[in-house]
Amino acid sequence: MNWDQIEGKWDQAKGKVKEKWGQLTDDDLTQIAGKRDQLAGRIQERYGYTKEQVEEEMNTWERDTRW
């Protein structure tokens, strides 16, 4: 699934994002509103990952998540 589809189904995707990155709050997910760059920044902030780590995790998550 590509990011445009995820953004379009953000209400459904929030649960799957929360499963993967549980340190994100509901407020975080509401503010992110499906924006990939904002999600990446928030993951980096909460988990202390490098930008490269976040990109790798997000790419894997996008590829492997079943809808």
Side-chain angles (χ1 to χ4, degrees), residues 12-47:
Q12 295 168 327
K14 286 193 292 189
K16 295 195 180 285
V17 168
K18 190 99 173 180
E19 285 175 17
K20 174 70 176 168
W21 297 287
Q23 291 182 25
L24 298 176
T25 66
D26 290 335
D27 286 342
D28 289 336
L29 298 176
T30 299
Q31 289 176 353
I32 290 165
K35 305 292 186 241
R36 191 180 195 286
D37 59 335
Q38 290 183 21
L39 176 59
R42 202 57 59 99
I43 292 168
Q44 198 173 356
E45 179 183 304
R46 293 278 188 252
Y47 287 86

Side-chain angles (χ1 to χ4, degrees), residues 40-55:
R42 202 57 59 99
I43 292 168
Q44 198 173 356
E45 179 183 304
R46 293 278 188 252
Y47 287 86
Y49 291 169
T50 64
K51 188 172 188 164
E52 292 77 19
Q53 286 174 303
V54 171
E55 282 301 315

